[in-house]
Amino acid sequence: MRWAAAGALVVLCGCASRAWRWADDGRSFVEAGDPPRLPPHRAVERVALRVHDRDFEFVSYRSFDSAGVVRAQFLLESGISVLDVAVLGDEDRRIAGSVFEAIPNFAGTVMEDLRRTWGSRSVFALGIADIFGGQHIRFPAARSVTDGDRVMDAVAVDGSHWLAFGSSGRPSDPLEVTLLDPDLVPQARIAYSDFDEDRVPREVRLVDLRDGHTLDVEVEEVRLAADAAAPGPSR
């Protein structure tokens, strides 16, 4: 993937997304047992962020632990630390400040994107990525929604948001999800692809449907752990 091409990523017009609607009678269905989760791991990633017509490229040292805490330290290619943050549910924790404080909402945008790609508003909050396997799995509190063209399952995440998703069932195909707010207005589209044998996606793309910013992640290295330690460069 060419990170220099971040400027060519889709930037939306800023128009408000149209609300989706329910495509069922309000009943939910429940699947017995706990769905599988993303395994605790540490990862080294290449991250490209385009926000407010500005492009940023980072090296990210990210961890995901058994409690669902996502922590990431972002560095420039020169090795200068840009931001060190962690997210759990709606809780944000800034471990080290950003050298980009002059950019409005930079740290907040990064933390919200972590929450939507790996954290409590992502497919990994309920293990939805394991719908790859030949059998479509139905998860707790799932309902059917439609955007007017397609009907998809939607799963409640993070209290009041919904994730609408679909899959061909083929592991080689990307997993695409749309994050909906409590009123079913689309907030973001996230696509996961190139899953490895441990079911960790090696490529992630997020498009924010409110302000048009985009995020691309290429996972270069993954190390599984009984519980992921704090991220950081190898010593």
Side-chain angles (χ1 to χ4, degrees):
M1 184 178 295
R2 291 183 57 195
W3 301 109
L9 297 176
V10 175
V11 179
L12 303 183
C13 67
C15 303
S17 298
R18 183 178 61 184
W20 293 17
R21 58 183 174 83
W22 298 116
D24 58 24
D25 58 6
R27 292 179 298 177
S28 62
F29 46 84
V30 176
E31 176 75 10
D34 295 326
R37 295 178 61 90
L38 189 70
H41 66 277
R42 299 178 65 184
V44 181
E45 304 167 335
R46 292 279 179 176
V47 177
L49 175 69
R50 178 174 174 82
V51 57
H52 302 310
D53 296 323
R54 302 182 68 174
D55 300 332
F56 306 94
E57 299 181 7
F58 309 104
V59 175
S60 169
Y61 294 89
R62 179 184 55 80
S63 67
F64 179 94
D65 72 15
S66 59
V69 176
V70 185
R71 180 178 173 185
Q73 181 182 8
F74 297 88
L75 292 82
L76 300 177
E77 290 286 353
S78 62
I80 297 175
S81 179
V82 173
L83 185 66
D84 190 353
V85 294
V87 297
L88 175 63
D90 280 329
E91 180 183 350
D92 294 337
R93 185 160 63 99
R94 294 181 61 170
I95 298 156
S98 171
V99 299
F100 293 153
E101 295 293 350
I103 300 174
N105 302 317
F106 176 79
T109 296
V110 170
M111 287 186 279
E112 181 62 12
D113 284 352
L114 277 176
R115 181 176 289 109
R116 296 186 295 184
T117 51
W118 303 104
S120 61
R121 292 182 184 170
S122 76
V123 296
F124 302 114
L126 290 174
I128 298 172
D130 231 41
I131 63 176
F132 293 115
Q135 180 181 2
H136 191 76
I137 301 173
R138 292 186 179 271
F139 292 88
R143 294 183 59 182
S144 296
V145 294
T146 180
D147 61 359
D149 297 320
R150 302 164 296 168
V151 175
M152 290 174 284
D153 286 341
V155 179
V157 292
D158 204 12
S160 58
H161 288 69
W162 295 84
L163 277 176
F165 60 92
S167 170
S168 66
R170 294 187 294 268
S172 59
D173 288 351
L175 171 63
E176 298 183 354
V177 301
T178 301
L179 177 67
L180 308 171
D181 73 7
D183 296 320
L184 301 187
V185 176
Q187 300 294 292
R189 288 196 305 266
I190 307 100
Y192 302 89
S193 58
D194 194 19
F195 284 75
D196 64 20
E197 63 274 11
D198 296 306
R199 311 310 285 268
V200 178
R202 294 305 185 107
E203 293 191 7
V204 182
R205 167 169 286 193
L206 178 148
V207 177
D208 190 287
L209 301 177
R210 298 169 300 181
D211 65 19
H213 85 260
T214 57
L215 176 77
D216 273 84
V217 178
E218 182 176 343
V219 180
E220 294 189 329
E221 179 183 335
V222 175
R223 180 178 300 176
L224 298 185
D227 207 351
S234 301
R235 301 295 185 185

